[in-house]
Amino acid sequence: MVAELDYSNTFVAFNRLYNLLNANGKRKHTASKKYPEINKLTSTAFHQLSFASNLQPITSTCSCTEMQLRYQARLALISLLLDYTVVDEELETGKKAEFGREDWQIMECRRVMLDENKDLDGTCVCGSKTQRSSIWWWNSARVVRGSWCANDADFKLYESYLIKAINGETSNNPDKSSTQAPFVLESDENQETAICHATTALSLFLCQQMRNDEASDILVKSGFEYRVSPNVLRYPTKVEPGPWRNDIPFVSAVDNALPDELFNHMISNFNDKSLFWTQHNYSQSTPYFSYVHSLNTNLTVNKPESALDRIIAYLHSIAVKLFPQAADAKYAEWWAHNRPHHHGHQLHFDSDNEGKTRQGGKPRHPIVSSVLYLEDGFDVGSGTSVGGPTLVTNQRLGDPLADRGWLVYPKKNRYAVFDGSVLHGVIPGWGAPSHFSKRRITFMVAFWKEVSLRPSIDETPGSCRPFPSFTKTSYTWHLPHNQSLKPPPESESNKTSLNYIKPFPLENVWTSVKQKESTMEIFEDDLIDDYCEFPYSDESRKRYGLDIDIPPYESCFQGF
């Protein structure tokens, strides 16, 4: 039973990793003093799972147990590559270095998935077949969506995997006597979670395919009453170009925002291969983290002035021209995202410490928030895209659901500034991307009158961290910012005319799943990420004096 022993050791390594990263039900941020241990576990699990996933059954009489174990090794390998960052020195100079970490990991997922699906109809000599679980089909759908989807056949395959996940098997553990450790992935709880994720993904897919009747059937069965409207999820691809008069009170945007030297510096240090992402172990499931800079040279948040200070100051000068109230800002909080085409960001309010810091019992918002786009998004000429537009609404605290919204499409060196108190998010890209490896890269800055720094002793990333020291830190991603870029020409820095572009207006943002206008009210607590675990509980309804018949936030479908 040599092969079986190898599988058992493999599952021990993977289970240790899974339990470490999911302690107390929440995945820990991997970019901390603990990450050497995590990196070692991911590397060990990767190599053992890769070996186990390629083992052939060695028993001549009955190999169904070994086939099942090989399937589980492949499932674990795909889960590892989809959800965690594999850090391994042997791989850094090979294919991984050639394609980039995320692209290499999704390509490995695709290879393993195809190997297993080739064996899908394989039958043991005893007549039994390996059963694939909902988790397998959900992960297969994620691989298809993440690695390709270039034509109708690809999208049909993606849809078929989602349907199989929804209709999949329940608990699928092998005979526990054949392994030393139960396999953590295929618990009933995880199966139910996979079915839930697949149902949400299928609903979004149908909405973006404009198959609204089919989507409505699923949404009604899932308990949803309202959804983001079709003209948002299936955002238009033909938009009117600028210039345009700046008269929207909620959002403004300009093109060619930064001078070439400043923008090129941003591209050099936040492109998809930069150390910023790898040293933060950035992935789509990485917890939120940000850094704070002072806009006042008399304050001591970060000295001496860095290249990033100069760039943020320049962006602030534009923000003040678009929103004069931004002149009151003393601090800038920034963060960045690097997302594939089909990833969105759920509708939310920007708030201090993700809504946990309060003033008068309510979350505090920045004066304005802003987005600098570092990559082109939608190419009207070629009809290809990378990522969806930013959605900004007119919804503030205590307002009814937004009845107006505006879309700002990604474009290199485009800069969007919006009221810091309004609901906003990123719409997932629909259709096929120009290439699966392309990323929607953005640099966000929120301008605050007051915000609290939250240092970390072990340099674990988190909300409102001070910018790392250039001398006393284990990081190196920030060292290229240790320079003072020369000021732009006087004519550039003091120019009064901006190249305005027109945010695309939307007449409605929400609608009922039965295509009726929504008149429900919704409060801000229910839209702040990770703040309210059970929005609109009876207690919160009483606190805000809400009508008990108002639908809860969970009945509003976003799909992202």
Side-chain angles (χ1 to χ4, degrees):
M1 301 302 290
V2 176
E4 187 172 315
L5 182 62
D6 288 334
Y7 281 119
S8 180
N9 290 336
T10 293
F11 294 138
V12 168
F14 183 83
N15 287 354
R16 282 185 62 204
L17 172 68
Y18 182 91
N19 292 329
L20 177 63
L21 293 179
N22 293 275
N24 302 319
K26 291 185 178 180
R27 183 182 172 195
K28 294 182 178 179
H29 203 302
T30 57
S32 68
K33 292 293 185 182
K34 284 191 173 183
Y35 76 73
E37 178 188 358
I38 295 172
N39 290 346
K40 182 177 180 180
L41 277 173
T42 56
S43 177
T44 300
F46 169 76
H47 286 291
Q48 290 185 351
L49 289 169
S50 295
F51 174 75
S53 67
N54 290 315
L55 284 177
Q56 297 300 314
I58 62 173
T59 307
S60 59
T61 55
C62 179
S63 61
C64 58
T65 298
E66 292 170 356
M67 290 169 60
Q68 182 76 12
L69 288 168
R70 183 180 61 185
Y71 151 73
Q72 290 201 315
R74 288 171 171 171
L75 172 60
L77 181 56
I78 287 179
S79 298
L80 177 73
L81 292 168
L82 284 175
D83 294 328
Y84 308 121
T85 301
V86 177
V87 179
D88 187 283
E89 291 182 1
E90 294 180 15
L91 301 170
E92 296 297 336
T93 57
K95 289 184 178 180
K96 187 174 176 183
E98 178 183 351
F99 294 105
R101 176 155 32 192
E102 282 198 71
D103 293 344
W104 171 82
Q105 291 193 190
I106 199 71
M107 290 169 68
E108 279 293 293
C109 287
R110 179 178 177 179
R111 179 189 64 77
V112 176
M113 181 195 76
L114 292 176
D115 284 346
E116 178 63 24
N117 287 345
K118 286 178 184 177
D119 299 333
L120 184 62
D121 296 324
T123 304
C124 179
V125 292
C126 70
S128 63
K129 292 185 178 181
T130 302
Q131 297 296 312
R132 274 71 175 178
S133 66
S134 292
I135 295 175
W136 171 264
W137 293 118
W138 165 235
N139 280 346
S140 295
R142 293 169 66 193
V143 172
V144 172
R145 193 68 180 95
S147 61
W148 75 95
C149 263
N151 52 48
D152 289 342
D154 294 338
F155 284 110
K156 287 180 180 178
L157 182 64
Y158 173 67
E159 181 180 357
S160 72
Y161 285 170
L162 291 175
I163 292 173
K164 287 181 178 180
I166 295 169
N167 300 324
E169 304 294 328
T170 56
S171 183
N172 194 30
N173 279 320
D175 180 2
K176 291 185 180 180
S177 64
S178 66
T179 59
Q180 294 178 1
F183 189 42
V184 295
L185 275 181
E186 294 201 303
S187 66
D188 288 338
E189 180 181 359
N190 286 347
Q191 298 280 32
E192 292 172 3
T193 299
I195 293 171
C196 181
H197 287 325
T199 302
T200 298
L202 180 60
S203 301
L204 174 63
F205 174 77
L206 294 173
C207 288
Q208 293 196 310
Q209 292 287 312
M210 296 302 286
R211 293 158 60 182
N212 290 309
D213 289 344
E214 294 174 69
S216 293
D217 290 341
I218 298 175
L219 293 174
V220 169
K221 290 178 182 178
S222 300
F224 290 104
E225 299 178 48
Y226 303 92
R227 52 160 289 189
V228 175
S229 66
N231 62 334
V232 176
L233 291 178
R234 180 76 175 209
Y235 53 83
T237 58
K238 292 184 179 180
V239 294
E240 181 182 345
W244 175 71
R245 184 167 55 90
N246 178 31
D247 61 357
I248 294 178
F250 297 97
V251 56
S252 294
V254 298
D255 277 346
N256 304 315
L258 291 178
D260 289 345
E261 183 182 12
L262 303 188
F263 187 71
N264 290 337
H265 181 86
M266 295 296 290
I267 291 294
S268 296
N269 291 284
F270 291 96
N271 65 70
D272 63 344
K273 303 296 191 299
S274 77
L275 288 175
F276 175 80
W277 312 110
T278 56
Q279 291 192 3
H280 287 91
N281 277 5
Y282 181 89
S283 71
Q284 306 315 310
S285 57
T286 300
Y288 174 78
F289 63 95
S290 65
Y291 293 94
V292 172
H293 292 241
S294 168
L295 296 172
N296 186 335
T297 56
N298 293 324
L299 300 176
T300 58
V301 173
N302 51 292
K303 285 186 177 182
E305 183 182 64
S306 67
L308 210 50
D309 287 307
R310 184 169 295 281
I311 290 167
I312 290 173
Y314 194 92
L315 294 175
H316 179 239
S317 70
I318 297 176
V320 171
K321 292 183 176 74
L322 301 178
F323 287 82
Q325 62 268 37
D328 294 333
K330 296 180 181 178
Y331 299 93
E333 177 192 7
W334 68 266
W335 60 101
H337 285 302
N338 177 356
R339 291 196 169 103
H341 170 68
H342 59 283
H343 274 256
H345 191 124
Q346 75 174 70
L347 295 172
H348 64 284
F349 293 95
D350 287 345
S351 56
D352 188 7
N353 198 21
E354 300 181 87
K356 299 179 182 70
T357 300
R358 303 214 149 197
Q359 185 174 16
K362 299 177 181 178
R364 296 199 307 118
H365 307 294
I367 301 171
V368 294
S369 293
S370 62
V371 184
L372 177 68
Y373 300 94
L374 301 182
E375 291 291 340
D376 282 324
F378 190 80
D379 183 348
V380 177
S382 66
T384 59
S385 63
V386 182
T390 300
L391 169 66
V392 178
T393 76
N394 65 344
Q395 184 175 331
R396 293 194 180 101
L397 172 65
D399 286 350
L401 277 178
D403 59 0
R404 295 287 306 280
W406 297 267
L407 300 176
V408 180
Y409 290 81
K411 182 181 178 182
K412 277 188 177 180
N413 209 8
R414 175 170 289 173
Y415 185 51
V417 184
F418 53 92
D419 186 318
S421 66
V422 298
L423 185 70
H424 63 282
V426 178
I427 308 304
W430 64 267
S434 55
H435 190 273
F436 81 88
S437 66
K438 296 292 185 181
R439 293 292 187 270
R440 183 188 190 274
I441 303 178
T442 49
F443 180 82
M444 279 64 61
V445 189
F447 295 105
W448 295 85
K449 188 170 183 179
E450 298 291 341
V451 72
S452 300
L453 282 173
R454 300 179 181 87
S456 170
I457 296 176
D458 65 357
E459 295 188 319
T460 301
S463 174
C464 290
R465 297 292 191 250
F467 190 71
S469 164
F470 287 122
T471 56
K472 298 178 180 179
T473 179
S474 59
Y475 289 125
T476 60
W477 64 264
H478 64 305
L479 295 182
H481 300 297
N482 189 17
Q483 57 177 300
S484 294
L485 299 177
K486 65 181 181 181
E490 190 72 18
S491 59
E492 179 76 22
S493 59
N494 291 326
K495 66 181 181 181
T496 56
S497 61
L498 296 173
N499 185 15
Y500 292 104
I501 64 99
K502 181 178 183 179
F504 188 87
L506 299 166
E507 290 301 321
N508 65 315
V509 177
W510 299 92
T511 186
S512 113
V513 296
K514 298 178 181 179
Q515 303 301 311
K516 294 180 180 179
E517 288 297 323
S518 168
T519 57
M520 66 171 273
E521 290 189 343
I522 192 164
F523 280 74
E524 181 175 27
D525 276 358
D526 302 325
L527 292 162
I528 292 178
D529 293 345
D530 302 325
Y531 181 70
C532 290
E533 185 176 0
F534 299 104
Y536 273 45
S537 63
D538 289 345
E539 181 181 350
S540 65
R541 294 183 191 209
K542 291 177 181 177
R543 184 189 320 132
Y544 291 112
L546 302 178
D547 186 333
I548 204 70
D549 293 327
I550 293 176
Y553 177 59
E554 298 91 79
S555 69
C556 300
F557 176 77
Q558 297 181 42
F560 54 98

